[in-house]
Each structure stands twice: as C-alpha cells, then as structure tokens.
Amino acid sequence: MDSTSSRQHPDTTLTPTTIKRVQQGVAAANHRSVTQTIAEVLQRLEAIAQGHPETRVHALIRRCVLRSLIHVLFRVRMENLHRIPEKPAILAANHLHHLDPLLLLGELPTHPHYYVLGDARTLYNKFWKRLTLGLVGGVIPLKRIWKEEIAVMEAAKAGREDLMELATAIEETVPTGGDIQTLRQIERIVLGILSQGDGLVLFPEGRLGSAEGHLHLPLKRGTVIYALRAGVPIVPVAIIGTHDLYLRKDLTVRFGEPLYFAQTSRINRQEVDTALEVLQNAMLNLLPTNYQEPPGPKVLRNFLNHMLL
C-alpha cells in the first residue's frame, strides 16, 4: 500500500492503461467521500498520537475479516512468525502488489496492534475499500503524488497536447505529499503510535516492485529514521508470490531476525546510511534468488491483479 506506481507499468510508460490509472487517481482526489474519509482517518490518528484512547475494532475481528477474504482466494504460508517481538516494532517489507498490506494485517499477531502506511487514494478510491477499511482499521493514509502523474505532467510540458488538460487537473487537485505540514503530520502519527505501544508496517522501497526476488534500491530512509527516533527494532519481511495473482496461488510471508539500533534524537546521515545498509541486506537475504512462477492454469488472473487498483 505504500505505492506510487502501476504494477503493470512500473517505469511509468504513458500507455492508455497508465493514463486511465492517472485519470482515476485525479477523480479520487476530487471525490468528496474519498477526501472526507482521508481527513477523518488522519484526524483520529492525530488524536491517538496525542495520547487519546482510540475506539477501534479488536485485532481479532480485523484478522478474521481479512483472513476470510484472502484465504478463500489464496493459500498463505507464514514463516518464522515467532521472530516478531511482543513489543512495538517496525516491519519493513518488500512490495509487489496492493494486496500486500491487507495480507500482512490479516496474518500478524493481535498484539501489538499494527498499522500500515499506505497510499491514500489507492486505499479509499472505491466504496467497498472505504467500507472494509472502515471496519478493520489499521491504516495510515499517505497523501502524495504518483509517479505516473509526474510522468503525465512532464509529457505535457514536453509538448503532449493530449495530456495538457489532465496535467492541469493534477497540478490543481493532487497533493504532492512533500510539504512540511504533511511530512510533520505523518511523523507525529507514526512516532505517536509507536510510543503508545503499537507497531507499524512500512514498505521502504516506496513503490511497487517489478519482479519477484528483487528490491528497488536504494531504500527510502524513513523506515530507519522512525526506528532510530522511537528506539524500536526493525523486522525485515519478504513477501513472495504476490506480483502475479491468480486463484489459489501459494503466497509466502517470511520474517527475519529483528534488527536493533541505538535510539537517538540527534540522527546523523552516517547512522541512517549504516542502518539502511543493514536493513537492505537483511531483506535481500530473505528473498528467493531463483523464483519461478508455478505452471498451469491461472484462474481469475486478470480480476485478482486489478481488483485493488
């Protein structure tokens, strides 16, 4: 869910499919129910970060709802689940599909209560998503611009007249997510959640992966910065099999040993770079080196690969 690129077109090639995806994203940015839901969720999360108690669905109910949906469609195997500490931690996972956050939230232990940081418009762009996430909770919506949208604006500036109107709509309505106010709000929420004894799921690639067993490098620095400031361990996670989905496919979630770093409020670049390299190597070591897609029919492949867009 921490994704800014299309699964089919990670290089942001401006095909009709990509342009349609951008048009849908702009529509979501202008949709009253979407923007209202995002604002309400962020307001509740800010209150939690300030120490106010949260009225939320019990993690067992969340787990049951998500599992009942996912296990009907796929076969899920969890490896080394015992490596997750029974205290606040950040789970750092690779990202292959929009299903990944829901897969993790449905399988993680009920204590601590985990939240996942994900793209706001992808999370809430459809009614059934807003309904489901309103029930299960556990999501921190991140308002930001997509790489495809940036590509559209660059193409329009380069002379693509057919994209001028769409590019203008992007500039006028889509939040970039890079302003100080937004960044500070997300930081307050993240650090507040960790300080309250809950956990966090992050996707440090910052985009969807293009192939099984690979990471988009370098990883984003935010995961390490949050861990250093909060003084919590990072658990590396490998998600295997979600890049290309079809009915009853085998999916694997593999957990590594927790990584511990000294807590500090005065973070320097060397500390961040060193910790980031440790995390990167730990994630790479969990991923398969010779992944092969299983042979045979792939029932509901198109539907399952697009259902969360």
Side-chain angles (χ1 to χ4, degrees), residues 3 19 36 52 88 122 131 158 173 190 207 212 220 254 260:
S3 166
I19 294 172
Q36 183 175 339
H52 298 286
T122 302
L131 184 65
T173 62
V190 166
R207 57 181 293 184
E212 295 280 354
K220 303 297 183 182
R254 182 178 297 157
Y260 292 88

Side-chain angles (χ1 to χ4, degrees), residues 252-281:
T252 300
V253 181
R254 182 178 297 157
F255 296 89
E257 294 287 352
L259 307 174
Y260 292 88
F261 306 98
Q263 183 176 9
T264 177
S265 58
R266 300 174 64 88
I267 300 173
N268 62 57
R269 186 178 184 88
Q270 184 176 355
E271 287 177 313
V272 173
D273 290 344
T274 299
L276 203 58
E277 184 177 1
V278 172
L279 173 60
Q280 173 183 309
N281 291 336

Side-chain angles (χ1 to χ4, degrees), residues 16 37 46 56-57 59 73 76 83 86 93 95 97 117 144 171 187 203-204 245 265 274 282 305-306:
T37 300
E46 283 262 44
R56 66 190 181 195
V57 65
L73 300 171
V76 181
R83 289 176 172 171
E86 295 183 6
H95 199 6
H97 194 278
L117 186 67
R144 64 182 180 183
E171 290 186 30
E187 182 174 296
F203 299 98
L245 296 177
S265 58
T274 299
N305 280 324
H306 292 85

Side-chain angles (χ1 to χ4, degrees), residues 56-69 105-106 108 110 113 132 134-137:
R56 66 190 181 195
V57 65
H58 194 280
L60 280 174
I61 298 177
R62 179 177 77 179
R63 195 175 185 183
C64 180
V65 171
L66 292 175
R67 277 188 166 189
S68 66
L69 296 173
L105 289 179
L108 291 173
T110 57
H113 190 90
T132 302
L135 174 63
V136 303

